Amino acid sequence: MAPIHVDETAGSDTTGNGTADQPYQTLGFAVFNSSGTDTFLTRKDPNGTYEEPTQSSLKKAKKTAEGIEKKKKKQEELAAREAKEQGEAREKREKLLEESKKIVLTEDPDLPKAVKAKINRLDDLRTKRVRVSGWVHRLRDQKGIIFLVVRDGTGYLQTVLSGNVAATYEALTLTLESTVEVVGILQAVPEGKQAPGGHELIVDYWKVLGAAPGAEDAFTNRLNEKSDPSIQADLRHLVLRGETASSVLRLRAHLLSAFRESYARYNLTEVTPPCLVQTQVEGGATLFKFDYYGQPAYLTQSSQLYLETVLPSLGDVFCVQESFRAENSHTRRHLSEFTHLEAELAFLTFDDLMDHIENIICTTVDILLANPTSAALIKQLNPSFEAPARPFMKISYVEAIAWLNEHNIQRPEEDAEGNVIKDEQGQVKMGPHKVGDDIAEAAERQMTDIIGKPVFLHGFPAELKSFYMKKIPGTGYTESCDLLMPNVGEIVGGSMRIADLAELSAAYKREGIDPEPYYWFTDQRKYGTCEHGGYGLGVEVKLFTRHRVTL
């Protein structure tokens, strides 16, 4: 019979089989796997030669083998006991389920009629019998008492099921995200206890409206906190049921409402521009093009040009409309589709425009913080949020270039084609900023975070901006601005628009734009022009959340 081989360095007690090619690692494990009549050969490492073990090492190995054998028996006994217990528990569970089928709940007609209500309207119904429908958000069974947190979209309600109410087949097989109707007395939680809204429902009758699956297809098996981002993206429709995502959606609704209230205070009229257009606004490279009954058309990049056309009829205007950018980017700054809040104002100066933007932002924040519901959502999503301090700081583009260089904030160097230059080790070469550079988001954020207050960065070079932006007379710079917030970055971009017909014609020519499709835009300068300007911002709650959330 061939001897059993042991290599104390290269062997393995897990994958080895005792041959010279696949030796064990320890002599004790080799003895444990031997027949009792086998012989052994050991070596310290692959460079040594196999030799018979000493009597003392063989004696020690036998004790080790005995320990392994005892451990194995204990494991087998434990596994058998666990299997027995699981079997008994399964049998008990099956018996319990069979018994539960005999319990049929009916609503007691002698009890007071329940008031049907949404969860966010329950405060005035304490001590009364109420009826609430919703989804099972949380589920906990504690010694025969079932605690459910029900979600109906307006809030969360803790419910308590006990006695026969908690002993039905439906109760014992209830799963997360099932829809239920619960009826009972609403009462304040005992002192020292906590529950959403400060009250809980003592259920006397309930039923399942729509059962969600369990086992492998259970909600938490498809989606949980540890799910990969790609899975979360595919299951976005389920992610939205979570507390953070739903809170973002609620805050977004409050944000839009607050913006509309702000615009009403400043006498701006809301209009609804089209999404299907035949002109570009922000450059042809980011246009979604499609065929419109035989004619070329695009999904709008911005509603700005349309808003300018209604200034003569409605005065100052704004819109909340979808915009589209064909940018195949995965950065946090670029979206293919986003809700675009834009405004256009007539008969004002560039300073007036920046003052207006500051007023709208601060008024909107004040409205949100004055509303207990939206203020609570902001506190939940960003506990450290503070309203922006006024007045906002103003820094010109040229001043910003100098500031960045003074603070040694560098930019990636580029070749003549705009490609990033790398050194011999493949690292991106960094260098100082210079006038004419497009200041990167990272640099803008570093500057704003260091300054620590809202900043209007203004006066960008014309070649970096869109064709419609008005130039500062006698310079190559524009009356344009970005509003930057600490720890956030850019939230608003705006400018004065070209009011002079000849200057607009020159801009068309400079950018290689055919003016013919823009005849209606040109007419605004032809039939009574005026100094006017506007701005846009993406309707996201990035200002109020710890992390930027896109919906």
Side-chain angles (χ1 to χ4, degrees):
M1 184 178 291
I4 297 176
H5 295 75
V6 177
D7 187 319
E8 296 177 5
T9 302
S12 172
D13 289 343
T14 303
T15 61
N17 58 17
T19 63
D21 294 333
Q22 293 180 289
Y24 292 123
Q25 186 177 30
T26 63
L27 184 57
F29 193 77
V31 172
F32 171 73
N33 281 295
S34 68
S35 62
T37 59
D38 294 305
T39 58
F40 305 94
L41 293 176
T42 66
R43 65 182 181 186
K44 296 293 184 183
D45 56 66
N47 296 321
T49 57
Y50 281 109
E51 297 177 354
E52 291 185 3
T54 63
Q55 287 299 315
S56 61
S57 62
L58 194 57
K59 184 177 180 181
K60 184 178 179 181
K62 289 180 179 178
K63 289 184 178 181
T64 301
E66 291 173 359
I68 295 173
E69 180 66 29
K70 289 180 181 180
K71 184 177 180 180
K72 180 184 177 183
K73 287 182 178 179
K74 284 185 178 180
Q75 289 176 337
E76 290 174 346
E77 290 173 358
L78 180 61
R81 186 163 61 249
E82 288 178 348
K84 181 181 179 182
E85 290 174 353
Q86 289 175 359
E88 292 174 348
R90 186 163 48 251
E91 184 178 341
K92 182 179 179 181
R93 170 74 174 175
E94 291 173 355
K95 184 177 180 181
L96 186 63
L97 288 176
E98 283 301 315
E99 290 295 321
S100 70
K101 294 177 181 178
K102 301 175 183 178
I103 302 174
V104 179
L105 285 185
T106 56
E107 189 169 358
D108 189 343
D110 295 329
L111 292 175
K113 184 178 179 180
V115 179
K116 187 176 182 180
K118 294 289 186 180
I119 292 174
N120 67 341
R121 293 289 184 265
L122 292 177
D123 286 349
D124 296 332
L125 297 174
R126 287 185 182 178
T127 72
K128 293 182 172 58
R129 192 163 179 264
V130 299
R131 184 184 307 273
V132 174
S133 298
W135 289 262
V136 177
H137 188 66
R138 291 197 185 92
L139 170 61
R140 177 167 56 94
D141 188 340
Q142 186 175 315
K143 296 180 179 179
I145 299 176
I146 297 176
F147 294 89
L148 302 182
V149 174
V150 176
R151 178 189 78 244
D152 74 348
T154 71
Y156 301 88
L157 173 65
Q158 179 169 292
T159 68
V160 182
L161 284 66
S162 61
N164 277 350
V165 174
T168 64
Y169 183 80
E170 289 76 13
L172 298 180
T173 59
L174 189 61
T175 52
L176 289 176
E177 294 304 321
S178 294
T179 47
V180 295
E181 179 185 80
V182 286
V183 185
I185 300 296
L186 185 70
Q187 62 181 32
V189 294
E191 187 175 350
K193 302 291 184 179
Q194 289 185 335
H199 45 232
E200 61 186 4
L201 188 70
I202 308 303
V203 178
D204 58 59
Y205 172 76
W206 74 286
K207 62 182 178 181
V208 175
L209 302 176
E216 293 183 2
D217 204 27
F219 187 87
T220 50
N221 286 339
R222 294 193 66 192
L223 183 71
N224 54 61
E225 293 179 353
K226 297 181 180 179
S227 295
D228 186 88
S230 64
I231 294 177
Q232 293 186 38
D234 289 341
L235 299 179
R236 184 65 177 164
H237 58 292
L238 299 181
V239 171
L240 293 177
R241 300 186 181 201
E243 293 179 24
T244 298
S246 60
S247 294
V248 169
L249 286 173
R250 289 191 186 94
L251 181 54
R252 188 179 188 274
H254 284 285
L255 178 63
L256 287 171
S257 178
F259 267 121
R260 286 188 165 99
E261 183 176 338
S262 297
Y263 283 124
R265 292 184 187 183
Y266 288 94
N267 299 309
L268 275 74
T269 301
E270 183 172 4
V271 296
T272 307
C275 284
L276 308 183
V277 298
Q278 290 188 296
T279 54
Q280 68 182 48
V281 182
E282 302 296 338
T286 64
L287 283 168
F288 277 111
K289 186 177 181 180
F290 64 95
D291 179 80
Y292 185 74
Y293 304 112
Q295 298 183 52
Y298 314 99
L299 295 177
T300 187
Q301 298 167 311
S302 165
S303 297
Q304 174 211 317
L305 304 189
Y306 183 92
L307 290 179
E308 289 188 48
T309 69
V310 294
L311 282 176
S313 58
L314 298 177
D316 299 343
V317 291
F318 78 97
C319 73
V320 180
Q321 182 63 282
E322 299 305 299
S323 287
F324 305 85
R325 306 285 170 87
E327 296 177 295
N328 187 15
S329 171
H330 297 286
T331 71
R332 54 191 226 129
R333 266 186 99 165
H334 299 90
L335 298 173
S336 293
E337 177 185 357
F338 62 98
T339 303
H340 207 175
L341 191 150
E342 299 179 89
E344 290 293 321
L345 302 95
F347 304 107
L348 79 170
T349 66
F350 186 39
D351 284 335
D352 292 337
L353 177 64
M354 288 189 284
D355 288 344
H356 166 84
I357 294 171
E358 181 175 328
N359 288 334
I360 289 295
I361 294 298
C362 292
T363 300
T364 300
V365 171
D366 290 344
I367 291 170
L368 287 168
L369 293 179
N371 181 322
T373 303
S374 55
L377 289 169
I378 293 172
K379 186 70 173 177
Q380 172 193 338
L381 295 169
N382 187 356
S384 61
F385 175 80
E386 294 181 0
R390 305 181 71 173
F392 293 176
M393 187 175 180
K394 295 177 181 177
I395 300 177
S396 73
Y397 166 84
V398 174
E399 291 170 338
I401 293 292
W403 191 98
L404 291 169
N405 290 333
E406 288 171 5
H407 290 77
N408 197 34
I409 297 174
Q410 297 184 317
R411 67 181 296 276
E413 293 187 0
E414 298 177 349
D415 58 23
E417 284 74 38
N419 300 311
V420 174
I421 300 173
K422 296 183 179 181
D423 59 24
E424 295 177 354
Q425 285 73 42
Q427 300 297 313
V428 175
K429 293 184 68 175
M430 304 296 288
H433 287 81
K434 58 183 181 297
V435 173
D437 289 342
D438 188 2
I439 301 175
E441 178 200 12
E444 281 184 348
R445 289 198 62 179
Q446 280 184 273
M447 179 181 71
T448 313
D449 291 350
I450 292 171
I451 292 173
K453 61 177 66 174
V455 174
F456 274 116
L457 180 57
H458 64 89
F460 294 92
E463 59 268 21
L464 298 179
K465 290 298 182 179
S466 298
F467 76 94
Y468 53 77
M469 293 189 179
K470 179 183 177 181
K471 284 187 178 181
I472 300 172
T475 75
Y477 300 97
T478 57
E479 290 190 337
S480 58
C481 64
D482 287 345
L483 176 56
L484 312 176
M485 286 287 178
N487 304 312
V488 178
E490 178 190 341
I491 65 167
V492 180
S495 75
M496 295 298 290
R497 316 311 193 189
I498 294 175
D500 182 73
L501 180 58
E503 185 180 349
L504 180 60
S505 298
Y508 287 146
K509 185 175 181 180
R510 183 183 71 244
E511 298 296 328
I513 296 174
D514 179 7
E516 180 60 28
Y518 293 84
Y519 72 93
W520 51 273
F521 184 67
T522 307
D523 278 353
Q524 304 308 309
R525 281 76 182 165
K526 183 177 179 180
Y527 294 97
T529 190
C530 71
E531 292 296 322
H532 62 288
Y535 56 91
L537 63 96
V539 180
E540 301 170 71
V541 292
K542 57 184 178 180
L543 185 61
F544 306 104
T545 57
R546 286 170 288 185
H547 307 288
R548 178 165 176 165
V549 182
T550 300
L551 299 170

